[in-house]
Amino acid sequence: QVQLVESGGGLVQAGGSLRLSCAASGIIFSIHDMGWYRLAPGKQRELVATITSGGITNYTDSVKGRFTISRVNAKNTVYLQMNGLKPEDTAVYYCNAKKWAITYWGQGTQVTVSS
């Protein structure tokens, strides 16, 4: 049974920081590409950041320079360090694991940034 469990969300003031974690089980974590997506009310799901099994990272333009994705394979965990948070970053953040045509999703964690 595959599980992706996100944690670390919460309420923070603009300019603050949060670190999201996603702990994976039931998969060979090290061979999966991992990603963070977000869904805000009234908007489409948006890719935030990805990290390949080889450690190559990619970010959407709006978070470049503020967010950092990383992974620790020994802990089966992917992280999203979010600095300089803005109200427009408010969303439910989802963890994603992908290998070939198979994709797994977590249940999401709410991030709310107050102005």
Side-chain angles (χ1 to χ4, degrees):
Q1 178 182 356
V2 177
Q3 280 193 310
L4 300 177
V5 180
E6 301 100 333
S7 61
L11 173 64
V12 64
Q13 288 189 330
S17 298
L18 286 173
R19 187 175 82 153
L20 305 183
S21 300
C22 172
S25 60
I27 59 172
I28 304 174
F29 180 81
S30 62
I31 66 171
H32 281 73
D33 296 336
M34 302 298 296
W36 287 97
Y37 291 71
R38 64 188 179 187
L39 181 61
K43 296 186 178 181
Q44 291 187 329
R45 185 176 64 193
E46 177 186 30
L47 170 68
V48 177
T50 59
I51 183 166
T52 68
S53 58
I56 298 172
T57 59
N58 183 56
Y59 300 90
T60 192
D61 286 346
S62 63
V63 308
K64 285 180 180 176
R66 299 189 298 123
F67 290 10
T68 302
I69 189 171
S70 61
R71 63 190 297 161
V72 178
N73 289 341
K75 294 185 177 181
N76 288 357
T77 301
V78 61
Y79 303 96
L80 186 68
Q81 177 67 44
M82 305 187 294
N83 299 327
L85 282 161
K86 303 176 180 181
E88 52 264 43
D89 294 319
T90 295
V92 178
Y93 284 70
Y94 296 90
C95 174
N96 165 283
K98 187 182 299 183
K99 183 65 179 177
W100 300 306
I102 301 173
T103 301
Y104 304 102
W105 292 93
Q107 82 290 347
T109 185
Q110 176 70 48
V111 171
T112 302
V113 185
S114 63
S115 56

